[in-house]
Amino acid sequence: MNPLLRTVVGLGTGWVASQGVAAVAHLQSGHGQTLAKKLHSRRSFTRNAALGATGIVLAQAGVAFGLLMWPNKTGAFGGELTVGADSIPEVGATPFRHQEGKFYIVRTEDGIEALYWKCVHLGCTVPWIEGDELFICPCHGSVYEYNGSRIAGPATRAMDLMPTEVGEDGSVTVNTSPSALIQRPEYSPDHATPYPFS
Ligand code: FES
């Protein structure tokens, strides 16, 4: 072949080949971008799903925490509980023990008190000891008298009070919310809610 003609043919073949390679590269790059887009959208979906699930879990935990901190229960500890007039003890008689509400109702000449049964020392349940006529904590021996005043032991104050309201029928409604508890160094007559029923 003529050298000049061979050169022209060679240049032409090279150009065609380079265009083919460029076209393939373009196609491959387009395919790569599509694949990358698919992978990206799949990753976005997975990430959004994970964030959504985390958000739901956090929201549920928040609601549970709110209910724990601000209980709005009736008929259970943490809410308002009503004790019928027939369960209110006579003056100085055995305290009425309310299992659900975790309190005792005692009645003195001054009126009634609802005493939270949790020991103010380290939180043990304090029983009323019939015969001794005292509340005596079994854990470290704190002793409280009938009206809740501390007599002895490591406790540093009287038993805590729960707010009470006396109904017209002689029933007593006790607010058992922990946030409503009343702490006092010792008993004072004005801690008792007057109870004008026999
Ligand atoms: Fe009652 Fe310690 S918990 S005396």
Side-chain angles (χ1 to χ4, degrees):
M1 188 185 291
N2 183 304
L4 181 60
L5 183 60
R6 196 187 305 144
T7 305
V8 170
V9 169
L11 285 173
T13 306
W15 181 83
V16 170
S18 70
Q19 291 303 304
V21 169
V24 169
H26 178 72
L27 279 174
Q28 283 182 337
S29 117
H31 178 68
Q33 282 176 5
T34 305
L35 188 61
K37 272 185 190 165
K38 277 185 182 170
L39 286 173
H40 178 70
S41 72
R42 204 171 294 163
R43 271 198 298 269
S44 296
F45 174 78
T46 306
R47 188 186 57 219
N48 290 341
L51 284 174
T54 306
I56 289 169
V57 169
L58 287 176
Q60 287 175 336
V63 169
F65 181 73
L67 287 174
L68 185 70
M69 294 302 291
W70 297 282
N72 185 25
K73 297 181 283 185
T74 53
F77 182 75
E80 292 194 335
L81 295 168
T82 299
V83 178
D86 54 349
S87 296
I88 304 302
E90 297 294 324
V91 173
T94 300
F96 171 75
R97 185 178 195 270
H98 197 294
Q99 186 69 29
E100 276 281 307
K102 305 180 181 180
F103 62 80
Y104 296 100
I105 288 190
V106 297
R107 184 172 172 187
T108 66
E109 296 289 353
D110 304 319
I112 52 135
E113 289 179 287
L115 303 173
Y116 185 28
W117 74 25
K118 191 170 166 179
C119 183
V120 301
H121 178 225
L122 291 179
C124 290
T125 299
V126 184
W128 170 253
I129 307 297
E130 204 74 54
D132 289 336
E133 309 303 293
L134 294 167
F135 294 101
I136 302 177
C137 181
C139 293
H140 313 98
S142 287
V143 181
Y144 307 88
E145 58 184 300
Y146 184 79
N147 59 23
S149 264
R150 174 196 169 275
I151 296 177
T156 55
R157 62 175 194 271
M159 293 170 79
D160 291 340
L161 271 184
M162 290 176 170
T164 49
E165 254 184 54
V166 176
E168 288 179 359
D169 59 354
S171 64
V172 174
T173 300
V174 180
N175 181 352
T176 65
S177 170
S179 62
L181 283 175
I182 300 163
Q183 296 183 0
R184 63 236 173 108
E186 59 188 23
Y187 173 77
S188 162
D190 63 350
H191 295 160
T193 304
Y195 192 77
F197 299 90
S198 54

